[in-house]
Amino acid sequence: MDVSEPASISTGIASRYAIAIFELAKEDGSLDQLRADTDTISSSLNDSEDFRDLIHSPLYARDEQQAAISAIAERMELSSYMANTLRLMASKRRLFVLPELVRDLRRRITEEKGEITADVTAATELTDEQRRKLAETLKSSVGRDVNINLSVDESLIGGLVVKVGSKMIDTSIRSKLNALQNTMREVG
């Protein structure tokens, strides 16, 4: 069996759900709500080990998973499209594709709005003001509105790693220390 086969199956499953949700939200004029939903889910996936366990663990029965995801969707105040889709995914035992679904939906929304997504890794969480300034700086560089997909990696020590399309800018202290270490090896 090809190792990439399970990944492509997950991507295919997520893509089918993403197309359906995206088209419904687009038709309804609620892409901004859909974007808010994806941001909320993404934050929960990053912050909550319990939430990640719920979507990946085979130990939960379908009805338990469905009841839990319904309660979570209600508490997160997700749109009816997203909440109903999550319940359907739980009933079909397909919540494991949720991270891929979120990525696919974000990509579709940014393409529809003519925006671009920057994957930003920071040593600490950025404030709203820092996010705004970074988005403005990136917009002046790429010429389009930029959405920031932020992740935190404390091993960077400080600074940022920014990926926009095929470009990567690494201003992290970790990379500067590695470069200094390599320079010292060459000299010594």
Side-chain angles (χ1 to χ4, degrees), residues 12-171:
I13 293 168
S15 180
R16 287 191 292 276
Y17 284 109
I19 290 168
I21 297 169
F22 178 79
E23 290 301 324
L24 286 170
K26 183 177 168 185
E27 187 177 295
D28 195 35
S30 59
L31 286 179
D32 291 336
Q33 175 63 44
L34 184 59
R35 176 179 280 162
D37 289 351
T38 61
D39 291 344
T40 301
I41 293 169
S42 181
S43 292
S44 294
L45 286 169
N46 288 334
D47 298 341
S48 175
E49 188 175 339
D50 291 336
F51 188 48
R52 289 189 303 272
D53 286 346
L54 173 69
I55 67 170
H56 291 292
S57 178
L59 299 178
Y60 296 104
R62 283 179 203 251
D63 57 338
E64 290 175 322
Q65 207 175 33
Q66 205 169 359
I69 205 69
S70 289
I72 290 168
E74 186 177 318
R75 188 171 187 113
M76 290 180 175
E77 299 178 0
L78 298 178
S79 67
S80 60
Y81 299 132
M82 185 62 79
N84 290 337
T85 301
L86 293 179
R87 282 191 281 278
L88 176 64
M89 290 170 69
S91 73
K92 303 280 187 191
R93 304 291 282 178
R94 294 198 170 149
L95 282 176
F96 66 93
V97 302
L98 191 56
E100 184 62 38
L101 172 71
V102 168
R103 279 189 293 277
D104 194 322
L105 284 170
R106 282 182 164 171
R107 181 186 55 77
R108 290 175 191 280
I109 293 167
T110 56
E111 285 176 6
E112 178 69 23
K113 294 188 174 263
E115 302 167 341
I116 192 165
T117 299
D119 293 318
V120 177
T121 306
T124 60
E125 188 69 36
L126 298 180
T127 65
D128 290 339
E129 179 66 17
Q130 289 170 323
R131 282 177 183 245
R132 186 187 61 73
K133 285 182 179 178
L134 179 59
E136 286 176 7
T137 302
L138 292 172
K139 180 180 179 178
S140 67
S141 175
V142 297
R144 297 194 316 191
D145 286 338
V146 177
N147 287 319
I148 295 177
N149 182 19
L150 181 71
S151 60
V152 175
D153 180 358
E154 293 175 359
S155 71
L156 294 180
I157 304 169
L160 302 170
V161 177
V162 180
K163 295 177 190 169
V164 180
S166 62
K167 293 181 182 178
M168 184 173 108
I169 305 162
D170 188 345
T171 63

Side-chain angles (χ1 to χ4, degrees), residues 163-183:
K163 295 177 190 169
V164 180
S166 62
K167 293 181 182 178
M168 184 173 108
I169 305 162
D170 188 345
T171 63
S172 68
I173 293 181
R174 180 181 64 191
S175 72
K176 290 179 181 180
L177 288 172
N178 288 340
L180 179 61
Q181 185 178 29
N182 288 337
T183 302

